[in-house]
């Protein structure tokens, strides 16, 4: 059979369905049995197979063999958003060429692609794990207008899964069966570099691809140098092949207003780009420009995949050594301050000796198109109209730096999960490759830290099938007891940053932030107002200090003084009937290693 894709056969008018993915994977394995293994790593919500190809001429075809022989692994994840099918078609073309098959068709400029002589074959020095259609259910929900902000192909799949979840918001919480399968794949194979293939939305301009690499702003600071080097080397390769690549996502700061400029994107671990740095691994977000024709986008995606393979073949050993060192550093994070979130640095200049030596906002010359902004009769607000026939240099601000927005001291020893949540948390931790142990004996009088909230804010509407929650508060000492069957999760492990991401309640993608513990912040018992009046009067008579505190609050806080419910709650919170576990995060922290009590000897 021919191993050309439907995209190539149709002159890039079309992209294939899942039956083509299955046929091509089978065809690759049959044509190159010594270099290609095809396997199913999971199943979608609607029962479709989740398939991957492992491609290498190294002779290593299992995770164990790759690790033992020190073969670096590049994972290429395509089809997380099936409407953005560039990565799927480009991935098959790139692998076909690397294996010595036909180059990408001439309609996409394939005749100008340089092949590798045998002595420079990247596949002899690395392995590629290719996932062509991550979201298989969305892949099969095809339509002509599933991607209205994109130039081709004529029909594409749908962005979300059968559960209507966006998989590129599911890396941390892992609600979908597709993501659970992906995390199992990642845990078992442990790719050194993961390329996530996408297509932009947003403005119209000349640049044709965006390359964003982490760790650069996220994760272990010691990896930022190699992350930057990887990004710059890939940008250089793409530019040499005729692209106009960008090191940032080209979305205007103010939607639909190019004059507002651009800024670096802050990715939290719900995204692939934010997730892999918490594992001390590299990730490359490839975003071809949506308004370039499909043939051009597939060619550029192919160039990015082959370019990464060449870079990994050349530098994989050094990069692997860097992440092993990062794993060791992460295992020693206990008691240290760890950055869990960053934001764009919006200062105009540095403000002190520790600030960046250069201004954090610069003016760049961006190759855009002439445009107008006129009041729209449809929306009643200004709308941008681009003229691709009139290239124009935009002099616009760019903010390329980030600063920490959430830094938390890591626990000295780890976290404790009460038995009520042991099953749920053990499942999540196992998916993410995080170690834990089950307590075999009850722990009494435990010197722990508890997180008590000083403020809660529930989302006004569900997001990705959950009701997010923002918590304010601090960890504070509090003696606790835990039953048999609870979990101890040590901080001393390579995935310490990922562990903190999931279990620190203020982390933006913690399980608490995704609403897993919302019931703990809902009051379940209450006191009738007339009953409160009775014991409040008694408390005032019996405790002069409390009476002084109440009078002072009435005088100093007019909002409190005018709120009968808040005034009653002042006494309810200080009464012995108050639920001491209300608004308390159920997971604990400890600074000393757990020593389990032994049962008494008979």
């Amino acid at each position: 059979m021919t191993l050309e894709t439907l995209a190539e056969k149709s002159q890039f008018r079309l992209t294939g369905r899942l039956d083509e993915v299955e046929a091509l994977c089978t065809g690759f394995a049959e044509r190159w049995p010594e270099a290609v293994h095809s396997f199913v790593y999971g199943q979608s919500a609607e029962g479709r197979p989740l398939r991957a190809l492992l491609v290498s001429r190294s002779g290593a075809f299992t995770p164990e063999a790759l690790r033992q022989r020190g073969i670096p692994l590049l994972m290429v994840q395509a089809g997380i958003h099936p409407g953005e099918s560039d990565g799927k078609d480009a991935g098959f073309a790139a692998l076909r060429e690397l294996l010595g098959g036909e180059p990408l068709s001439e309609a996409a400029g394939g005749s100008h692609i340089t092949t590798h002589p045998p002595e420079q074959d990247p596949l002899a020095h690395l392995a590629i794990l290719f996932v062509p259609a991550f979201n298989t259910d969305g892949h099969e929900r095809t339509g002509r207008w599933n991607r209205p902000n994109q130039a081709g192909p004529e029909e594409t799949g749908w962005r979300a899964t059968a559960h209507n979840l966006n998989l590129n918001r599911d890396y941390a919480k892992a609600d979908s069966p597709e993501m659970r399968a992906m995390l199992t794949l990642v845990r078992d194979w442990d790719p050194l570099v993961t390329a996530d293939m996408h297509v932009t939305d947003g403005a119209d301009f000349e640049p044709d691809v965006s390359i964003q690499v982490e760790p650069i702003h996220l994760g272990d600071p010691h990896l930022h140098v190699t992350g930057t080097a990887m990004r710059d080397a890939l940008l250089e390769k793409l530019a040499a092949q005729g692209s106009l690549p960008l090191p940032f996502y080209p979305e205007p700061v103010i939607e639909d207003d190019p004059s507002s400029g651009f800024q670096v994107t802050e990715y939290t671990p719900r995204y692939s780009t934010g997730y892999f740095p918490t594992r001390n691994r590299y990730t490359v977000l490839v975003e071809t420009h949506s308004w370039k024709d499909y043939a051009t986008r597939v060619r550029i995606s192919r160039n990015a995949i082959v370019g990464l393979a060449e870079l990994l073949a050349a530098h994989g050993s050094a990069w692997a050594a860097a992440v092993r060192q990062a794993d060791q550093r992460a295992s020693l994070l206990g008691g240290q301050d760890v950055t869990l979130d960053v934001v764009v640095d919006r200062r105009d200049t540095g403000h002190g000796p520790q600030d960046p030596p250069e201004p954090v906002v610069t003016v760049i010359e961006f190759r855009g198109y002439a445009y107008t902004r006129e009041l729209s009769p449809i929306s009643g607000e200004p709308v941008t109209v681009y003229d691709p026939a009139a290239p124009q240099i935009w002099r616009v601000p760019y903010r390329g730096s980030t600063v920490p927005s959430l830094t938390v001291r890591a626990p000295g020893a780890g976290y404790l999960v009460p038995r009520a949540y042991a099953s749920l948390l053990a499942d999540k931790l196992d998916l993410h490759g995080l170690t834990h142990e089950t307590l075999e004996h009850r722990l009494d009088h435990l010197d722990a830290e508890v997180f008590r909230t000083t403020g809660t804010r529930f989302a006004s509407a569900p997001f990705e099938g959950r009701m997010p929650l923002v918590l304010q508060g601090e960890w504070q000492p509090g003696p606790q007891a835990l039953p048999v069957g609870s979990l101890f999760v040590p901080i001393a492990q390579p995935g310490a940053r990922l562990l903190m991401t999931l279990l620190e309640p203020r982390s933006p993608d913690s399980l608490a932030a995704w609403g897993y513990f919302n019931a703990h912040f809902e009051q379940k018992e209450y006191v009738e107002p007339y009953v409160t009046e009775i014991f409040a009067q008694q408390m005032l008579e019996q405790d002069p200090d409390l009476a002084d505190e109440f009078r002072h609050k009435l005088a100093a806080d007019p909002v409190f003084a005018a709120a009968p419910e808040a005034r009653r709650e002042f006494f309810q919170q200080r009464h012995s009937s108050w639920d001491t576990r209300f608004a308390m995060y159920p997971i604990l922290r400890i600074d000393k290693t757990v020593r389990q009590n032994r049962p008494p000897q008979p």
Side-chain angles (χ1 to χ4, degrees):
M1 61 168 291
T2 176
L3 295 180
E4 280 194 325
T5 62
L6 177 62
E8 295 170 283
K9 296 174 185 176
S10 67
Q11 300 293 295
F12 295 92
R13 291 188 306 103
L14 307 172
T15 188
R17 301 286 291 271
L18 200 60
D19 56 354
E20 180 191 53
V21 170
E22 291 290 310
L24 285 172
C25 288
T26 299
F28 271 69
E30 290 178 347
R31 183 168 173 182
W32 293 287
E34 78 292 348
V36 179
H37 286 197
S38 173
F39 63 97
V40 171
Y41 67 90
Q43 191 176 74
S44 73
E46 293 183 334
R48 293 184 174 90
L50 304 176
R51 186 168 292 279
L53 287 179
L54 183 72
V55 181
S56 181
R57 296 196 190 278
S58 68
F61 291 102
T62 66
E64 296 76 19
L66 290 172
R67 282 190 283 270
Q68 289 171 2
R69 297 183 51 186
I71 304 297
L73 178 64
L74 167 65
M75 185 170 81
V76 178
Q77 176 188 275
I80 191 171
H81 295 152
E84 305 164 26
S85 53
D86 308 24
K88 176 191 66 176
D89 289 322
F92 281 121
L95 292 180
R96 191 180 65 219
E97 295 169 29
L98 288 170
L99 287 162
E102 302 79 8
L104 185 66
S105 74
E106 292 188 8
S111 60
H112 301 293
I113 293 170
T114 302
T115 58
H116 298 91
E119 65 274 12
Q120 298 178 11
D121 181 7
L123 294 179
H125 306 284
L126 83 157
I128 299 177
L129 185 62
F130 178 44
V131 176
F134 180 13
N135 178 7
T136 54
D137 293 345
H139 190 278
E140 294 304 280
R141 184 183 166 186
T142 58
R144 293 183 67 87
W145 292 102
N146 284 352
R147 283 282 292 172
N149 304 313
Q150 182 173 295
E154 291 178 2
E155 290 190 352
T156 69
W158 184 250
R159 185 177 185 85
T161 68
H163 290 149
N164 207 36
L165 294 177
N166 183 340
L167 290 178
N168 206 25
R169 308 295 184 271
D170 200 33
Y171 266 90
K173 62 184 176 68
D175 280 341
S176 66
E178 294 86 355
M179 184 56 71
R180 293 172 62 84
M182 174 58 70
L183 291 180
T184 301
L185 187 74
V186 167
R187 180 195 66 198
D188 293 347
W189 288 86
D190 191 22
L192 175 61
V193 179
T194 296
D196 192 8
M197 311 300 293
H198 286 261
V199 181
T200 68
D201 291 305
D204 200 2
F205 38 71
E206 286 194 276
D208 49 21
V209 63
S210 159
I211 301 293
Q212 298 164 85
V213 173
E214 293 292 347
I216 290 179
H217 304 283
L218 309 171
D220 185 337
H222 292 85
L223 292 178
H224 292 185
V225 172
T226 49
T228 301
M230 181 187 302
R231 180 198 65 190
D232 293 348
L234 183 57
L235 290 171
E236 184 178 347
K237 281 181 172 289
L238 292 170
Q241 292 170 301
S243 280
L244 296 173
L246 297 171
F248 57 86
Y249 186 83
E251 175 73 17
V253 172
I254 298 175
E255 185 178 10
D256 199 39
D257 184 359
S259 68
S260 64
F262 304 99
Q263 63 187 20
V264 65
T265 306
E266 325 103 305
Y267 293 100
T268 63
R270 71 188 60 177
Y271 303 94
S272 66
T273 314
Y275 177 76
F276 285 97
T278 70
R279 300 182 65 99
N280 310 316
R281 299 298 182 266
Y282 301 101
T283 183
V284 181
L285 178 59
V286 179
E287 296 262 8
T288 53
H289 183 219
S290 61
W291 292 118
K292 302 300 182 282
D293 64 78
Y294 192 48
T296 297
R297 300 202 320 264
V298 170
R299 172 176 52 80
I300 295 169
S301 297
R302 172 267 172 212
N303 292 348
I305 294 169
V306 173
L308 276 173
E310 293 169 342
L311 290 172
L312 204 60
H315 305 286
S317 296
W319 292 344
V323 303
R324 285 194 298 270
Q325 293 170 5
D327 286 347
Q328 295 172 0
R329 286 190 296 270
S331 297
L332 301 175
L333 283 177
Q336 298 185 37
D337 287 343
V338 178
T339 296
L340 296 181
D341 198 17
V342 299
V343 295
V344 175
D345 191 341
R346 300 190 182 283
R347 298 170 299 175
D348 291 331
T349 61
H351 295 287
Q354 302 303 315
D355 290 322
E358 298 180 359
V360 295
V361 58
T362 58
V363 175
I364 61 173
E365 293 190 346
F366 187 88
R367 293 178 59 167
Y369 295 129
Y371 66 90
T372 59
R373 283 186 49 84
E374 299 177 357
L375 197 65
S376 165
I378 305 299
S379 64
E381 65 179 2
V383 63
T384 303
V385 177
Y386 298 95
D387 181 6
Q392 182 183 78
I393 298 297
W394 301 344
R395 291 182 54 81
V396 293
Y398 172 66
R399 296 180 184 272
S401 302
T402 60
V403 292
S405 59
L406 176 63
T407 300
V408 177
R409 181 188 65 84
Y415 298 88
L416 291 168
V417 179
R419 181 170 182 171
Y421 287 104
S423 177
L424 169 68
L425 266 293
D427 176 69
K428 295 291 185 187
L429 295 170
D430 288 343
L431 275 176
H432 291 287
L434 298 168
T435 60
H436 54 87
E437 61 183 77
T438 301
L439 301 185
E440 298 178 356
H441 305 287
R442 177 181 174 82
L443 295 178
D444 294 305
H445 309 296
L446 186 65
D447 291 330
E449 289 182 309
V450 299
F451 186 92
R452 294 191 179 276
T453 58
T454 57
T456 58
R457 186 175 77 249
F458 289 93
S460 59
F463 177 64
E464 291 300 312
R466 292 197 164 272
M467 187 63 73
L469 171 64
V470 175
L471 296 174
Q472 296 174 336
E474 298 292 339
W475 292 100
Q476 52 190 261
Q480 299 291 319
L482 282 178
V484 173
S486 301
L487 301 181
F488 170 59
V489 192
I491 192 68
Q493 54 181 306
R497 281 188 175 80
L498 176 54
L499 176 61
M500 293 183 69
T501 288
L502 297 174
L503 297 190
E504 282 297 327
R506 291 186 296 157
S507 171
D509 281 325
S510 68
L511 297 178
W514 279 108
Y516 276 84
F517 307 112
N518 280 0
H520 288 269
F521 307 98
E522 305 168 4
Q523 195 166 355
K524 301 300 182 181
E525 187 57 271
Y526 64 95
V527 183
E528 295 285 356
Y530 75 91
V531 176
T532 302
E533 296 289 339
I534 296 172
F535 68 62
Q537 188 61 45
Q538 294 172 345
M539 293 168 69
L540 287 173
E541 295 169 357
Q542 296 170 3
D543 189 341
D545 290 340
L546 177 66
D548 287 343
E549 182 184 356
F550 181 59
R551 283 192 292 270
H552 176 76
K553 191 169 182 63
L554 287 175
D557 189 345
V559 175
F560 171 78
E565 184 59 37
R567 293 170 62 157
R568 284 192 290 268
E569 190 170 298
F570 175 91
F571 295 97
Q572 292 167 356
Q573 290 180 352
R574 292 158 176 78
H575 192 261
S576 57
S577 65
W578 183 255
D579 179 10
T580 58
R581 294 188 181 182
F582 171 63
M584 186 181 90
Y585 179 53
I587 294 173
L588 311 175
R589 296 178 10 150
I590 54 172
D591 282 332
K592 295 182 179 180
T593 303
V594 170
R595 293 183 178 179
Q596 300 190 41
N597 293 332
R598 299 297 177 185
Q601 297 297 316

